[in-house]
Short mmCIF file of all heavy atoms in Angstrom, two decimals:
data_model
loop_
_atom_site.label_atom_id
_atom_site.label_comp_id
_atom_site.label_asym_id
_atom_site.label_seq_id
_atom_site.Cartn_x
_atom_site.Cartn_y
_atom_site.Cartn_z
N GLU B 325 -6.26 -28.89 -8.87
CA GLU B 325 -4.97 -28.33 -8.46
C GLU B 325 -4.85 -26.87 -8.86
O GLU B 325 -5.21 -26.49 -9.99
CB GLU B 325 -3.84 -29.14 -9.08
CG GLU B 325 -3.78 -30.57 -8.58
CD GLU B 325 -2.37 -31.13 -8.53
OE1 GLU B 325 -1.49 -30.49 -7.91
OE2 GLU B 325 -2.16 -32.20 -9.10
N GLN B 326 -4.33 -26.10 -7.94
CA GLN B 326 -4.03 -24.70 -8.19
C GLN B 326 -2.66 -24.39 -7.61
O GLN B 326 -2.27 -24.97 -6.58
CB GLN B 326 -5.04 -23.78 -7.49
CG GLN B 326 -6.46 -23.90 -7.96
CD GLN B 326 -7.34 -22.94 -7.21
OE1 GLN B 326 -8.12 -23.33 -6.34
NE2 GLN B 326 -7.24 -21.66 -7.55
N ASN B 327 -1.97 -23.46 -8.22
CA ASN B 327 -0.73 -22.97 -7.65
C ASN B 327 -1.09 -22.11 -6.43
O ASN B 327 -1.92 -21.22 -6.52
CB ASN B 327 0.01 -22.12 -8.69
CG ASN B 327 1.40 -21.74 -8.22
OD1 ASN B 327 1.58 -21.37 -7.06
ND2 ASN B 327 2.36 -21.82 -9.12
N SER B 328 -0.47 -22.39 -5.29
CA SER B 328 -0.88 -21.70 -4.07
C SER B 328 -0.45 -20.24 -4.04
O SER B 328 -1.02 -19.43 -3.29
CB SER B 328 -0.32 -22.43 -2.85
OG SER B 328 1.10 -22.44 -2.89
N GLY B 329 0.57 -19.89 -4.86
CA GLY B 329 1.04 -18.51 -4.88
C GLY B 329 1.94 -18.23 -3.68
O GLY B 329 2.54 -19.15 -3.12
N PRO B 330 2.08 -16.96 -3.26
CA PRO B 330 1.28 -15.85 -3.79
C PRO B 330 1.72 -15.41 -5.19
O PRO B 330 2.88 -15.53 -5.54
CB PRO B 330 1.51 -14.74 -2.77
CG PRO B 330 2.83 -15.05 -2.17
CD PRO B 330 2.97 -16.54 -2.17
N LEU B 331 0.73 -14.94 -5.94
CA LEU B 331 0.95 -14.37 -7.25
C LEU B 331 0.87 -12.86 -7.09
O LEU B 331 -0.15 -12.33 -6.68
CB LEU B 331 -0.13 -14.86 -8.22
CG LEU B 331 -0.12 -14.27 -9.62
CD1 LEU B 331 1.14 -14.66 -10.35
CD2 LEU B 331 -1.37 -14.72 -10.40
N SER B 332 1.96 -12.19 -7.41
CA SER B 332 2.03 -10.75 -7.24
C SER B 332 1.94 -10.07 -8.61
O SER B 332 2.71 -10.39 -9.52
CB SER B 332 3.34 -10.37 -6.54
OG SER B 332 3.38 -8.99 -6.27
N VAL B 333 0.99 -9.15 -8.76
CA VAL B 333 0.73 -8.49 -10.03
C VAL B 333 0.65 -6.97 -9.81
O VAL B 333 0.01 -6.54 -8.84
CB VAL B 333 -0.60 -9.01 -10.63
CG1 VAL B 333 -0.99 -8.25 -11.88
CG2 VAL B 333 -0.50 -10.50 -10.94
N ILE B 338 -2.71 -7.51 -16.04
CA ILE B 338 -3.61 -8.67 -16.11
C ILE B 338 -3.11 -9.76 -15.16
O ILE B 338 -1.94 -10.14 -15.20
CB ILE B 338 -3.66 -9.23 -17.54
CG1 ILE B 338 -4.27 -8.21 -18.50
CG2 ILE B 338 -4.49 -10.52 -17.58
CD1 ILE B 338 -4.26 -8.62 -19.96
N ALA B 339 -4.00 -10.25 -14.33
CA ALA B 339 -3.68 -11.38 -13.45
C ALA B 339 -4.24 -12.64 -14.09
O ALA B 339 -5.39 -12.66 -14.54
CB ALA B 339 -4.29 -11.17 -12.07
N SER B 340 -3.43 -13.69 -14.13
CA SER B 340 -3.84 -14.95 -14.75
C SER B 340 -3.75 -16.06 -13.72
O SER B 340 -2.68 -16.34 -13.18
CB SER B 340 -2.92 -15.26 -15.94
OG SER B 340 -3.27 -16.50 -16.52
N LEU B 341 -4.88 -16.69 -13.46
CA LEU B 341 -4.96 -17.76 -12.47
C LEU B 341 -5.36 -19.05 -13.16
O LEU B 341 -6.25 -19.05 -14.02
CB LEU B 341 -6.02 -17.39 -11.41
CG LEU B 341 -5.78 -16.06 -10.70
CD1 LEU B 341 -7.03 -15.57 -10.02
CD2 LEU B 341 -4.65 -16.20 -9.69
N ASN B 342 -4.70 -20.13 -12.79
CA ASN B 342 -4.92 -21.40 -13.48
C ASN B 342 -5.37 -22.50 -12.53
O ASN B 342 -5.04 -22.49 -11.34
CB ASN B 342 -3.65 -21.84 -14.19
CG ASN B 342 -3.23 -20.84 -15.25
OD1 ASN B 342 -4.03 -20.40 -16.05
ND2 ASN B 342 -1.96 -20.46 -15.23
N CYS B 343 -6.08 -23.46 -13.11
CA CYS B 343 -6.61 -24.58 -12.34
C CYS B 343 -6.68 -25.79 -13.25
O CYS B 343 -7.14 -25.68 -14.40
CB CYS B 343 -8.01 -24.19 -11.83
SG CYS B 343 -8.96 -25.52 -11.07
N THR B 344 -6.20 -26.93 -12.79
CA THR B 344 -6.34 -28.16 -13.55
C THR B 344 -7.18 -29.15 -12.75
O THR B 344 -7.20 -29.11 -11.52
CB THR B 344 -4.98 -28.79 -13.88
OG1 THR B 344 -4.29 -29.06 -12.66
CG2 THR B 344 -4.14 -27.87 -14.74
N TRP B 355 -15.22 -20.18 -10.34
CA TRP B 355 -14.19 -19.41 -9.67
C TRP B 355 -14.85 -18.60 -8.55
O TRP B 355 -15.81 -17.86 -8.79
CB TRP B 355 -13.48 -18.46 -10.63
CG TRP B 355 -12.49 -19.14 -11.51
CD1 TRP B 355 -12.65 -19.52 -12.81
CD2 TRP B 355 -11.16 -19.53 -11.14
NE1 TRP B 355 -11.51 -20.12 -13.28
CE2 TRP B 355 -10.58 -20.13 -12.27
CE3 TRP B 355 -10.40 -19.42 -9.97
CZ2 TRP B 355 -9.28 -20.62 -12.27
CZ3 TRP B 355 -9.11 -19.91 -9.97
CH2 TRP B 355 -8.55 -20.51 -11.10
N TYR B 356 -14.31 -18.77 -7.33
CA TYR B 356 -14.78 -18.02 -6.18
C TYR B 356 -13.62 -17.17 -5.66
O TYR B 356 -12.45 -17.55 -5.75
CB TYR B 356 -15.24 -18.96 -5.06
CG TYR B 356 -16.60 -19.58 -5.28
CD1 TYR B 356 -16.76 -20.66 -6.16
CD2 TYR B 356 -17.72 -19.11 -4.61
CE1 TYR B 356 -18.00 -21.24 -6.35
CE2 TYR B 356 -18.97 -19.68 -4.80
CZ TYR B 356 -19.09 -20.74 -5.69
OH TYR B 356 -20.33 -21.32 -5.88
N ARG B 357 -13.96 -16.05 -5.08
CA ARG B 357 -12.99 -15.19 -4.42
C ARG B 357 -13.25 -15.24 -2.92
O ARG B 357 -14.39 -15.20 -2.48
CB ARG B 357 -13.15 -13.75 -4.93
CG ARG B 357 -12.23 -12.72 -4.27
CD ARG B 357 -12.43 -11.37 -4.93
NE ARG B 357 -13.79 -10.86 -4.75
CZ ARG B 357 -14.33 -9.92 -5.50
NH1 ARG B 357 -13.65 -9.38 -6.50
NH2 ARG B 357 -15.56 -9.52 -5.26
N ILE B 367 -17.31 -15.60 -8.43
CA ILE B 367 -16.86 -14.63 -9.43
C ILE B 367 -17.47 -15.00 -10.78
O ILE B 367 -18.09 -14.17 -11.44
CB ILE B 367 -15.33 -14.62 -9.53
CG1 ILE B 367 -14.72 -14.18 -8.21
CG2 ILE B 367 -14.88 -13.71 -10.68
CD1 ILE B 367 -15.03 -12.76 -7.83
N PHE B 381 -13.43 -9.67 -15.76
CA PHE B 381 -13.09 -11.07 -15.57
C PHE B 381 -13.40 -11.90 -16.82
O PHE B 381 -14.44 -11.70 -17.45
CB PHE B 381 -13.88 -11.65 -14.39
CG PHE B 381 -13.61 -10.98 -13.09
CD1 PHE B 381 -14.40 -9.93 -12.64
CD2 PHE B 381 -12.55 -11.37 -12.29
CE1 PHE B 381 -14.15 -9.30 -11.43
CE2 PHE B 381 -12.28 -10.75 -11.08
CZ PHE B 381 -13.08 -9.71 -10.65
N THR B 382 -12.48 -12.81 -17.15
CA THR B 382 -12.70 -13.77 -18.23
C THR B 382 -12.33 -15.15 -17.73
O THR B 382 -11.22 -15.35 -17.24
CB THR B 382 -11.85 -13.43 -19.47
OG1 THR B 382 -12.23 -12.14 -19.96
CG2 THR B 382 -12.08 -14.47 -20.58
N ALA B 383 -13.26 -16.07 -17.85
CA ALA B 383 -12.98 -17.47 -17.55
C ALA B 383 -12.74 -18.21 -18.86
O ALA B 383 -13.42 -17.96 -19.85
CB ALA B 383 -14.14 -18.10 -16.79
N GLN B 384 -11.76 -19.10 -18.84
CA GLN B 384 -11.44 -19.89 -20.03
C GLN B 384 -11.46 -21.36 -19.64
O GLN B 384 -10.87 -21.75 -18.64
CB GLN B 384 -10.04 -19.51 -20.55
CG GLN B 384 -9.92 -18.05 -20.95
CD GLN B 384 -8.50 -17.68 -21.33
OE1 GLN B 384 -7.56 -18.07 -20.67
NE2 GLN B 384 -8.36 -16.91 -22.41
N TYR B 391 -8.18 -27.96 -18.09
CA TYR B 391 -7.82 -26.81 -17.28
C TYR B 391 -8.85 -25.70 -17.47
O TYR B 391 -9.54 -25.60 -18.49
CB TYR B 391 -6.41 -26.29 -17.58
CG TYR B 391 -6.28 -25.41 -18.80
CD1 TYR B 391 -6.64 -24.05 -18.75
CD2 TYR B 391 -5.76 -25.90 -19.98
CE1 TYR B 391 -6.51 -23.24 -19.85
CE2 TYR B 391 -5.62 -25.10 -21.09
CZ TYR B 391 -5.99 -23.77 -21.04
OH TYR B 391 -5.87 -22.97 -22.13
N VAL B 392 -8.93 -24.90 -16.43
CA VAL B 392 -9.79 -23.72 -16.46
C VAL B 392 -8.98 -22.57 -15.86
O VAL B 392 -8.21 -22.77 -14.90
CB VAL B 392 -11.11 -23.97 -15.68
CG1 VAL B 392 -10.85 -24.41 -14.25
CG2 VAL B 392 -12.01 -22.76 -15.72
N SER B 393 -9.10 -21.40 -16.47
CA SER B 393 -8.32 -20.27 -16.01
C SER B 393 -9.22 -19.06 -15.79
O SER B 393 -10.35 -19.01 -16.29
CB SER B 393 -7.21 -19.94 -17.00
OG SER B 393 -7.76 -19.59 -18.26
N LEU B 394 -8.70 -18.12 -15.04
CA LEU B 394 -9.39 -16.86 -14.78
C LEU B 394 -8.42 -15.73 -15.05
O LEU B 394 -7.32 -15.70 -14.49
CB LEU B 394 -9.88 -16.79 -13.32
CG LEU B 394 -10.62 -15.51 -12.93
CD1 LEU B 394 -11.98 -15.44 -13.62
CD2 LEU B 394 -10.79 -15.43 -11.41
N LEU B 395 -8.84 -14.82 -15.92
CA LEU B 395 -8.06 -13.63 -16.19
C LEU B 395 -8.75 -12.43 -15.57
O LEU B 395 -9.97 -12.27 -15.70
CB LEU B 395 -7.92 -13.39 -17.71
CG LEU B 395 -7.26 -14.50 -18.52
CD1 LEU B 395 -7.26 -14.15 -20.00
CD2 LEU B 395 -5.84 -14.74 -18.04
N ILE B 396 -7.97 -11.59 -14.90
CA ILE B 396 -8.50 -10.37 -14.32
C ILE B 396 -7.77 -9.21 -14.99
O ILE B 396 -6.55 -9.04 -14.81
CB ILE B 396 -8.29 -10.32 -12.79
CG1 ILE B 396 -8.86 -11.57 -12.12
CG2 ILE B 396 -8.96 -9.06 -12.22
CD1 ILE B 396 -8.57 -11.66 -10.62
N ASP B 403 -8.74 -6.46 -5.68
CA ASP B 403 -8.75 -7.83 -6.19
C ASP B 403 -7.84 -8.75 -5.38
O ASP B 403 -7.83 -9.97 -5.59
CB ASP B 403 -8.29 -7.86 -7.66
CG ASP B 403 -9.26 -7.15 -8.60
OD1 ASP B 403 -10.49 -7.20 -8.33
OD2 ASP B 403 -8.80 -6.54 -9.58
N ALA B 405 -6.85 -11.19 -2.94
CA ALA B 405 -7.67 -12.18 -2.25
C ALA B 405 -7.14 -13.56 -2.62
O ALA B 405 -6.20 -13.69 -3.40
CB ALA B 405 -9.14 -12.06 -2.65
N THR B 406 -7.77 -14.58 -2.08
CA THR B 406 -7.49 -15.95 -2.51
C THR B 406 -8.59 -16.38 -3.47
O THR B 406 -9.78 -16.19 -3.19
CB THR B 406 -7.42 -16.91 -1.30
OG1 THR B 406 -6.32 -16.53 -0.47
CG2 THR B 406 -7.23 -18.35 -1.76
N TYR B 407 -8.18 -16.95 -4.60
CA TYR B 407 -9.13 -17.36 -5.63
C TYR B 407 -9.22 -18.89 -5.65
O TYR B 407 -8.21 -19.58 -5.79
CB TYR B 407 -8.71 -16.81 -6.99
CG TYR B 407 -8.94 -15.33 -7.05
CD1 TYR B 407 -8.03 -14.44 -6.46
CD2 TYR B 407 -10.09 -14.79 -7.64
CE1 TYR B 407 -8.26 -13.08 -6.45
CE2 TYR B 407 -10.32 -13.43 -7.64
CZ TYR B 407 -9.41 -12.58 -7.04
OH TYR B 407 -9.63 -11.23 -7.04
N LEU B 408 -10.43 -19.36 -5.48
CA LEU B 408 -10.69 -20.80 -5.37
C LEU B 408 -11.34 -21.30 -6.65
O LEU B 408 -12.32 -20.73 -7.13
CB LEU B 408 -11.62 -21.08 -4.20
CG LEU B 408 -11.19 -20.57 -2.82
CD1 LEU B 408 -12.31 -20.75 -1.81
CD2 LEU B 408 -9.95 -21.31 -2.36
N CYS B 409 -10.81 -22.37 -7.17
CA CYS B 409 -11.39 -23.06 -8.31
C CYS B 409 -12.21 -24.24 -7.79
O CYS B 409 -11.77 -24.94 -6.87
CB CYS B 409 -10.26 -23.55 -9.22
SG CYS B 409 -10.75 -24.61 -10.58
N GLY B 422 -6.68 -23.10 -3.65
CA GLY B 422 -6.71 -21.66 -3.82
C GLY B 422 -5.37 -21.06 -4.17
O GLY B 422 -4.31 -21.59 -3.82
N THR B 423 -5.43 -19.94 -4.90
CA THR B 423 -4.24 -19.15 -5.24
C THR B 423 -4.38 -17.78 -4.60
O THR B 423 -5.37 -17.09 -4.80
CB THR B 423 -4.10 -18.97 -6.77
OG1 THR B 423 -3.93 -20.24 -7.38
CG2 THR B 423 -2.90 -18.08 -7.09
N LYS B 424 -3.37 -17.41 -3.83
CA LYS B 424 -3.38 -16.09 -3.20
C LYS B 424 -2.85 -15.07 -4.20
O LYS B 424 -1.75 -15.22 -4.72
CB LYS B 424 -2.54 -16.07 -1.93
CG LYS B 424 -2.59 -14.75 -1.18
CD LYS B 424 -1.89 -14.84 0.15
CE LYS B 424 -2.04 -13.55 0.93
NZ LYS B 424 -1.41 -13.62 2.27
N LEU B 425 -3.67 -14.06 -4.48
CA LEU B 425 -3.32 -13.01 -5.43
C LEU B 425 -3.06 -11.71 -4.67
O LEU B 425 -3.88 -11.30 -3.84
CB LEU B 425 -4.45 -12.81 -6.44
CG LEU B 425 -4.29 -11.67 -7.45
CD1 LEU B 425 -3.11 -11.93 -8.38
CD2 LEU B 425 -5.58 -11.48 -8.24
N ILE B 426 -1.95 -11.08 -4.97
CA ILE B 426 -1.61 -9.78 -4.37
C ILE B 426 -1.44 -8.77 -5.48
O ILE B 426 -0.63 -8.98 -6.40
CB ILE B 426 -0.32 -9.88 -3.54
CG1 ILE B 426 -0.50 -10.88 -2.39
CG2 ILE B 426 0.08 -8.50 -3.01
CD1 ILE B 426 0.79 -11.18 -1.64
#
Side-chain angles (χ1 to χ4, degrees):
Chain B
E325 295 212 53
Q326 297 181 254
N327 188 317
S328 61
L331 175 65
S332 184
V333 174
I338 296 175
S340 178
L341 303 162
N342 298 312
C343 171
T344 59
W355 283 101
Y356 283 78
R357 177 176 63 200
I367 297 295
F381 299 93
T382 299
Q384 299 174 318
Y391 81 79
V392 56
S393 61
L394 180 70
L395 301 177
I396 306 174
D403 294 326
T406 296
Y407 288 80
L408 304 172
C409 173
T423 298
K424 184 173 184 177
L425 176 65
I426 299 172

